[in-house]
Amino acid sequence: MSMDGVVEGVWGEAASLPKRLTAAGVACLLRLLLGLSALWCAAGASVASEAVRQTGSAASARGSQDASATRERDVMQWIERVQSAPCRHAYTGTFVVLSASGAMSTSKIWHACDERHRLERVESLSGHRRTVFRRNDEVRTFSQDTRTVRTDRRDTATTFPRVAWVEGTAVAQYYAATRLGQDRVAGYLADVVWFKPLDNLRFGYRLWSEVDTGLVVKLQTLAPDGKVLENAAFSELDLRAPIEPEQIARQMDMTDGFREVIARVTKTSAQAEGWALRQPVAGFVPVSCHQRTMVVADAPSKVLQCLYSDGMTSVSLFVEPFDPQRHPDKAHAASMGATHILGQRLNPDAWVTAVGEVPMHTLKLFAGQFQRIR
């Protein structure tokens, strides 16, 4: 879930592609490509399914009424509910992301919207000092450590909590939704819904949706054996925050004292650049494709980023010229929480890096099917 999600993920700052998939390179890729460190947050993986069921059985009278009203929702109705929630409400909160590896990040988020604009400010409270603003599809990242501000455009949302609708996907063919009960997160009562994958190409999700607004207040990414790969939730949340879109917009445009870096991005398609998936990966549809200019060893180089989504999660393919000074001869794989990364040589003159909140064998399918058509 684009967290991609993640994410993302999204999800692309091609200039952050690591020279090799070392642990440091993975961390850099996840932070700058997927925005996970700056854009996610939550409070520990302490709620198990049994606790959810017990909480659900002891829900308040209002919760019982809500249960009867929501029990019959199918997967698409749940997605529609949580997808539209952020567009209707301003809020602020603190959230933390905790992965199974023990990595954790904390951020503060401010969100506001009106009839024309959706704006967000996300400030990292751990790791590098970074503030990310989003105004519709425009993203501006302020790095206090380097005193730089980078402006880019994204086709899909990368901030938690959000489930982005992707046209052409058939989520109900690949996930089933089951309501597990109710639970409290950051002081709010939430419906707990399990999105169970119907094949082995994707992970499952346990999602907490605030009963009144539908806002996602907690999200767990689940391995096939039920293990929690990543846990994200608000530790504190104010759904009545007096935040105006103009307030965030003014802060986003205050670039004095920062060196501005504007990403050179050209919209294109895989086919137009001479690439295609030999066979589609079940459930995933193409979302966008861009040529991005990155600088390697002080020399500009173009990287093609193609994004695919199944409506709940996404996979990005980054294709660049093969460079023996930067790329290993053999394929390299790595993971952090629910996000997996695979880098391998496509042919004698190209290298692909696949990134996504999916099992590693799904990334291998994408990398194996991606081929040059001219």
Side-chain angles (χ1 to χ4, degrees):
M1 174 171 297
S2 198
M3 300 310 26
D4 288 296
V6 258
V7 94
E8 208 202 60
V10 128
W11 281 30
E13 295 289 344
S16 64
L17 283 170
K19 294 182 178 180
R20 292 181 183 270
L21 290 178
T22 61
V26 170
C28 175
L29 185 67
L30 292 178
R31 283 196 298 270
L32 299 181
L33 272 187
L34 308 183
L36 291 182
S37 293
L39 301 179
W40 279 59
C41 6
S46 60
V47 181
S49 297
E50 183 60 31
V52 169
R53 286 192 293 270
Q54 292 174 358
T55 305
S57 63
S60 63
R62 185 189 70 170
S64 299
Q65 294 172 356
D66 289 338
S68 62
T70 61
R71 190 175 294 116
E72 301 304 320
R73 286 193 179 115
D74 61 21
V75 62
M76 291 309 301
Q77 289 170 326
W78 278 113
I79 289 177
E80 180 182 356
R81 174 171 169 77
V82 301
Q83 190 273 337
S84 61
C87 300
R88 298 193 301 264
H89 303 279
Y91 59 84
T92 183
T94 302
F95 52 97
V96 178
V97 172
L98 179 65
S99 72
S101 66
M104 185 177 73
S105 64
T106 307
S107 302
K108 180 80 173 183
I109 182 171
W110 294 260
H111 172 96
C113 53
D114 57 24
E115 295 80 5
R116 297 182 300 115
H117 299 297
R118 173 177 173 165
L119 294 103
E120 291 167 335
R121 174 188 174 186
V122 183
E123 182 176 340
S124 61
L125 302 181
S126 57
H128 293 288
R129 295 186 301 163
R130 181 178 293 113
T131 303
V132 180
F133 291 89
R134 180 185 180 98
R135 178 167 44 208
N136 299 330
D137 65 345
E138 181 185 8
V139 178
R140 188 165 289 169
T141 303
F142 290 77
S143 174
Q144 281 74 27
D145 294 333
T146 61
R147 301 303 295 176
T148 59
V149 54
R150 183 179 181 87
T151 301
D152 199 357
R153 291 192 176 273
R154 310 266 175 92
D155 281 347
T156 56
T158 59
T159 53
F160 174 84
R162 178 85 193 273
V163 177
W165 169 250
V166 177
E167 187 175 356
T169 55
V171 178
Q173 293 184 24
Y174 300 97
Y175 296 89
T178 302
R179 184 178 178 278
L180 301 178
Q182 292 184 325
D183 189 22
R184 283 172 57 83
V185 177
Y188 293 90
L189 188 65
D191 292 308
V192 186
V193 185
W194 177 30
F195 288 88
K196 178 184 178 181
L198 301 181
D199 60 21
N200 66 350
L201 296 180
R202 55 211 94 228
F203 292 136
Y205 299 95
R206 194 154 49 220
L207 178 151
W208 281 249
S209 172
E210 201 272 329
V211 294
D212 290 331
T213 64
L215 186 71
V216 178
V217 293
K218 182 173 179 177
L219 179 71
Q220 291 179 340
T221 306
L222 308 175
D225 62 0
K227 176 183 177 182
V228 177
L229 298 173
E230 200 158 71
N231 187 86
F234 281 104
S235 59
E236 63 89 16
L237 177 65
D238 182 0
L239 289 175
R240 297 176 178 83
I243 305 172
E244 296 297 331
E246 295 79 8
Q247 177 183 352
I248 300 177
R250 285 194 301 269
Q251 296 171 343
M252 182 175 182
D253 294 332
M254 294 174 61
T255 60
D256 290 349
F258 288 82
R259 179 173 59 89
E260 294 193 57
V261 179
I262 300 177
R264 285 178 284 174
V265 180
T266 304
K267 193 168 186 177
T268 183
S269 67
Q271 290 80 5
E273 302 302 324
W275 295 94
L277 284 174
R278 185 166 56 247
Q279 291 182 344
V281 178
F284 288 86
V285 301
V287 176
S288 65
C289 206
H290 294 88
Q291 280 280 10
R292 297 178 178 272
T293 300
M294 58 182 285
V295 177
V296 178
D298 296 326
S301 176
K302 287 187 176 181
V303 176
L304 178 69
Q305 179 196 2
C306 295
L307 178 68
Y308 299 84
S309 174
D310 70 353
M312 292 284 287
T313 192
S314 62
V315 171
S316 278
L317 299 180
F318 297 88
V319 184
E320 58 182 316
F322 177 77
D323 183 347
Q325 300 300 315
R326 298 189 301 111
H327 300 130
D329 293 329
K330 297 181 180 179
H332 275 223
S335 64
M336 179 178 286
T339 302
H340 288 78
I341 303 172
L342 173 67
Q344 70 179 46
R345 199 168 180 172
L346 279 183
N347 53 40
D349 63 351
W351 178 268
V352 63
T353 302
V355 184
E357 193 176 271
V358 294
M360 183 59 72
H361 58 260
T362 304
L363 293 186
K364 290 180 179 178
L365 270 180
F366 271 99
Q369 296 289 349
F370 207 64
Q371 65 177 6
R372 190 182 293 281
I373 56 177
R374 69 172 186 272

